[in-house]
Amino acid sequence: MTTSLAEEIEINDGESGITWFYDKKNVIDSIPNLVGFTEKKVKLRIKRFLFLEKTLEYELTSTLGEGYVEYKFENKDSSLTLLVTLNKYKKRLLLNLIHSGKYENLKDKYLKEFLINLKTKYLEQKMVSKTSETISSKLSSLSYIAKLVSTSMLVYSDKLDLSKNDISLFIEETLRKFSRYPVIYILGFNDETVFRLLFVNGELKGVYIKISGKEFYSEEALSKLKGLFNVSVYTSLLRPEMVI
């Protein structure tokens, strides 16, 4: 047996409206009767009869693309699929939930509650004012970094010695080498320092540097980067407005 429910959400921020759903934790937090989760598994509790309950464990996989994201929750007896698609012309997000297999408790009432939670949490975060938030301040947020990395691919990872040279030569070479990608994210760290740089169409859009607990958000602070760093470069073909 298969059950399907759908919900629409009006948006006014174009293609960036779907990025909230790219964050796996936002979806997991909306699951009714959730009792535990890891990066690849979720556990939830359902009622089988009046006072009898059962804990179900599902394998979680996700697929991200331009204008859509799909999450699948699967075990040997049942599966649940959440598909979120963007209709940028009608300025709508369409949420589809499809359940198949055993456990009638996961149908209708459960699916409706899941959709309501997703819509409610999404709209609540949209109401939070972003007027004082900059891309540089976003780079200080681990949840934003997780979303950024989840929609990107790792294209370079190595050591970078800045004891004698500044970072400008490395940045120039990186932008040249990966110029076909509209979004480039550079992460570097050592025992005392972390730096995160975000480039959009070759332009520096965000800077976050933390040195011995002190935070900096300006391009001028790049001159403070000294020593040996572990450096990773991530790139994305998504449109910039879907990332930032």
Side-chain angles (χ1 to χ4, degrees):
M1 296 289 293
T2 300
T3 301
S4 177
L5 290 177
E7 183 70 65
E8 281 192 347
I9 303 177
E10 292 186 23
I11 60 174
N12 56 11
D13 47 2
E15 296 182 359
S16 63
I18 197 172
T19 55
W20 185 85
F21 291 94
Y22 286 162
D23 189 336
K24 186 184 299 184
K25 189 176 184 302
N26 289 334
V27 174
I28 292 175
D29 285 345
S30 301
I31 298 175
N33 304 328
L34 183 71
V35 294
F37 68 92
T38 65
E39 182 69 16
K40 296 183 178 180
K41 291 184 179 181
V42 297
K43 292 182 179 180
L44 55 94
R45 185 179 294 115
I46 64 169
K47 283 188 177 181
R48 300 191 66 186
F49 301 103
L50 289 177
F51 301 105
L52 296 179
E53 295 183 336
K54 182 177 180 65
T55 298
L56 304 178
E57 183 174 275
Y58 287 86
E59 296 286 338
L60 171 59
T61 58
S62 60
T63 304
L64 306 174
E66 186 169 346
Y68 79 93
V69 56
E70 181 182 71
Y71 292 94
K72 287 187 176 181
F73 306 82
E74 298 175 296
N75 61 27
K76 64 179 182 179
D77 296 316
S78 64
S79 67
L80 180 66
T81 300
L82 169 65
L83 177 63
V84 183
T85 54
L86 169 69
N87 187 324
K88 61 182 179 181
Y89 302 106
K90 292 185 178 181
K91 294 185 178 181
R92 294 285 191 278
L93 285 176
L94 179 62
L95 282 58
N96 276 293
L97 270 178
I98 303 172
H99 175 267
S100 61
K102 292 183 179 181
Y103 309 117
E104 294 292 325
N105 305 68
L106 284 177
K107 298 182 179 181
D108 294 336
K109 182 180 179 181
Y110 185 91
L111 297 188
K112 288 179 181 177
E113 186 176 352
F114 193 5
L115 280 178
I116 289 173
N117 288 349
L118 285 168
K119 185 173 183 178
T120 300
K121 290 179 181 294
Y122 176 84
L123 294 176
E124 283 177 350
Q125 62 88 28
K126 284 296 179 183
M127 294 176 64
V128 177
S129 174
K130 300 293 183 179
T131 55
S132 61
E133 190 174 46
T134 65
I135 296 175
S136 291
S137 65
K138 285 182 179 181
L139 288 174
S140 69
S141 167
L142 291 180
S143 62
Y144 178 76
I145 296 303
K147 181 180 73 174
L148 185 62
V149 170
S150 71
T151 57
S152 307
M153 62 179 176
L154 178 65
V155 294
Y156 177 86
S157 183
D158 205 346
K159 302 288 187 179
L160 178 63
D161 191 354
L162 297 179
S163 56
K164 296 181 179 180
N165 300 314
D166 63 38
I167 197 174
S168 60
L169 293 177
F170 175 76
I171 290 175
E172 291 173 5
E173 176 63 18
T174 299
L175 295 180
R176 183 195 63 77
K177 187 174 181 180
F178 302 109
S179 60
R180 67 185 181 278
Y181 297 98
V183 177
I184 298 175
Y185 167 58
I186 300 176
L187 164 67
F189 66 91
N190 58 27
D191 291 339
E192 296 183 350
T193 303
V194 174
F195 69 86
R196 300 167 186 156
L197 310 175
L198 186 63
F199 294 85
V200 176
N201 295 324
E203 181 181 353
L204 182 60
K205 289 292 188 180
V207 176
Y208 174 75
I209 298 172
K210 188 174 183 179
I211 303 175
S212 300
K214 189 173 182 180
E215 296 178 321
F216 304 89
Y217 298 90
S218 66
E219 184 176 352
E220 289 74 16
L222 292 174
S223 62
K224 299 178 181 293
L225 298 177
K226 299 296 180 183
L228 184 65
F229 289 85
N230 297 290
V231 173
S232 298
V233 177
Y234 296 83
T235 60
S236 176
L237 286 172
L238 294 177
R239 296 182 180 179
E241 58 266 28
M242 298 182 67
V243 177
I244 62 175

